[in-house]
Amino acid sequence: MSLVLPLSLPRVRSLAPLLSVPAVIAVLALPSGPGGEGGARPADALSGLVVALCAIGLVRQRRRPLTPTAGVVLGLPVLGLAVAAAGAASADAGITGLGRYLQVFVLVPAAVLLLIRDRRDFRLLAWTLVAFAGWQGAVGVHQYVTGTGASYQGEDIRAVGTFGATDVMGMATVVSFGLVSALGLALGRGPVRQRAVAAGCAAALVLPLALSFSRGAWIATAVTCCVLLVLSGLRRALRVGAALVAAGVVLVGGFGAGTTPLQERIGSIAQVTDAPDQSVVDRYTMWAAAVDMWREHPLTGVGLKGFPDYRDAHASLALSSASDTEGAGAAFRRQPLLSPHNMYLLVLAEQGLLGVLALAGSWLALLVCGLRGLRRARGHGGGLDCALVACGLLVWQLVDFAYADIGGPSTVLTAVCFGLVAWWALADGGAAGTAPDAPAPAPAEEAAAR
């Protein structure tokens, strides 16, 4: 069976708004500028277009917007965000921070949820994530082999894809999303050829993920893969787990993936308390500073975008305040540390308990609804691959948020993934039961087909 889905003319026309989402992902493939400084990027502007197209479609088709459950789950973070924005140090900081959080956790996920019409649309976006991860991974491996990546221990070997040295987590995030999506598609109950291709893609993405030298992404991916294997069935988990261990031995021993820098990076995971490197010291120091900020402002935090302003007053002298970045086409520069690199602590510091409960409550509701839909999918056999992809993406993000926060070009991709999760949890498997792969067309589409 071909991986290319046969599309009729009405189907192509109905896909037009959805194709704006892969367009956002495609724009992310454009190389970042040498500076790599913050601010709105082309992908951010295109994500706004996705939201606008969704709104226009709702008005033209007179479709019902979000269900009450979806409205509550996706709208819950707005409460904490509004209060934190009002408490920001300046109006500009409040508006900028509010816009970013709404983009990532509310507007873009809601738009993606509404643009996905059925599971074929979902799978199209999942394969888009896999393809984008493959492209970024190929660029990253080339950077490692040719010594043109970001600087790591004095060598330009760190795989960063097209994201540049100022966003070393970008490629790792993209490749992780692709690997998790491919594994979910492989563990589903689709055609054998499709599952085999997905399994091959997942295996191929392990190498660029390793060469990203991102410990947080490694941990999140390992945890997520274990969760997906268990959710797909215990016997399958044991079989696939044994195969992965064997593949890991071959990868490390036979293909040279176990080079000295990589071995040292893996070993450093267990040395975060005994002999931590400066990056770990900086992270722990900023975590402590975030907790200290929260203790002074427990309910509403210090306000959106307030962490950099309060950092030095709460951090110890162990903090280096900036990290060195170089390579991948960029000159040496000191990149200031403006966040604690922990999403939960960032929200706690800037939004207080109110923000944490609202945002984490939304994520927990998505997880519960998604897992409920996965249980139903395992029962009758429909949409299991979609369920595994959605739950896997959410689990990965929730684990990774313990080591990272929003920021950089890849944040737009995070918003898209939350949209995929929201569709499964709130529109298909979790809240509305298990819908068929191709629902009946709307009256307007039937008229167009005639």
Side-chain angles (χ1 to χ4, degrees):
M1 180 181 290
S2 174
L3 293 176
V4 180
L5 298 174
L7 300 176
S8 62
L9 180 59
R11 176 67 178 171
V12 172
R13 294 181 61 182
S14 68
L15 271 177
L18 179 73
L19 293 179
S20 61
V21 181
V24 172
I25 300 175
V27 169
L28 284 173
L30 299 177
S32 300
E37 211 49 61
R41 304 172 189 269
D44 295 311
L46 200 52
S47 70
L49 179 61
V50 171
V51 175
L53 286 175
C54 178
I56 293 172
L58 290 175
V59 173
R60 291 184 59 185
Q61 300 174 16
R62 297 181 180 178
R63 287 176 54 195
R64 184 182 66 179
L66 299 174
T67 64
T69 301
V72 171
V73 172
L74 291 179
L76 189 59
V78 177
L79 176 61
L81 290 172
V83 174
S90 66
D92 181 66
I95 294 174
T96 303
L98 179 63
R100 188 61 157 171
Y101 274 95
L102 289 178
Q103 173 200 20
V104 178
F105 298 118
V106 181
L107 296 178
V108 174
V112 173
L113 184 159
L114 292 168
L115 288 174
I116 297 177
R117 300 180 59 84
D118 52 50
R119 294 177 194 158
R120 288 181 296 179
D121 287 356
F122 185 101
R123 294 180 183 114
L124 172 65
L125 296 184
W127 278 109
T128 302
L129 290 177
V130 175
F132 183 45
W135 159 249
Q136 289 293 330
V139 174
V141 172
H142 178 266
Q143 290 171 333
Y144 177 83
V145 173
T146 60
T148 56
S151 178
Y152 178 77
Q153 294 185 350
E155 299 180 81
D156 294 342
I157 58 173
R158 187 167 191 173
V160 292
T162 61
F163 291 94
T166 57
D167 186 18
V168 293
M169 284 293 298
M171 191 209 77
T173 299
V174 169
V175 171
S176 298
F177 284 153
L179 195 157
V180 170
S181 298
L183 182 60
L185 293 167
L187 294 176
R189 295 169 181 164
V192 175
R193 181 182 176 185
Q194 196 167 2
R195 290 163 53 194
V197 171
C201 291
L205 290 173
V206 172
L207 180 59
L209 179 61
L211 299 180
S212 70
F213 295 101
S214 174
R215 292 170 293 199
W218 293 347
I219 294 172
T221 303
V223 171
T224 303
C225 290
C226 292
V227 170
L228 288 184
L229 289 173
V230 172
L231 290 176
S232 67
L234 190 56
R235 290 183 179 179
R236 175 184 286 184
L238 294 175
R239 293 197 303 267
V240 176
L244 289 177
V245 171
V249 172
V250 173
L251 179 65
V252 173
F255 291 96
T259 56
T260 300
L262 185 58
Q263 291 174 347
E264 292 177 352
R265 191 67 166 175
I266 294 174
S268 68
I269 296 177
Q271 297 173 352
V272 293
T273 56
D274 297 334
D277 55 34
Q278 185 59 46
S279 65
V280 175
V281 172
D282 287 340
R283 182 163 300 186
Y284 283 173
T285 303
M286 290 189 294
W287 287 5
V291 173
D292 201 36
M293 293 178 200
W294 166 70
R295 286 173 178 166
E296 288 191 1
H297 305 82
L299 185 59
T300 59
V302 298
L304 294 182
K305 296 283 187 178
F307 182 86
D309 297 332
Y310 288 81
R311 183 198 64 187
D312 292 340
H314 295 82
S316 69
L317 296 177
L319 181 65
S320 63
S321 76
S323 61
D324 299 339
T325 61
E326 187 179 11
F332 174 82
R333 59 172 298 188
R334 294 277 289 171
Q335 187 173 6
L337 303 175
L338 303 178
S339 72
H341 296 291
N342 181 306
M343 191 65 198
Y344 304 106
L345 293 179
L346 177 63
V347 175
L348 188 67
E350 295 188 344
Q351 303 179 40
L353 282 176
L354 183 62
V356 166
L357 292 177
L359 201 55
S362 175
W363 300 338
L364 180 60
L366 287 175
L367 182 61
V368 171
C369 291
L371 290 175
R372 184 175 64 178
L374 186 146
R375 184 181 63 182
R376 293 175 178 172
R378 287 189 61 182
H380 74 79
L384 180 60
D385 54 346
C386 298
L388 291 172
V389 170
C391 293
L393 290 174
L394 183 57
V395 169
W396 187 93
Q397 194 63 76
L398 295 181
V399 175
D400 185 69
F401 273 163
Y403 306 94
D405 47 53
I406 58 175
S410 59
T411 300
V412 177
L413 195 61
T414 299
V416 172
C417 290
F418 267 106
L420 289 169
V421 173
W423 180 81
W424 173 259
L426 303 174
D428 183 73
T434 43
D437 280 352
E445 293 178 357
E446 292 180 341
R450 298 194 193 100

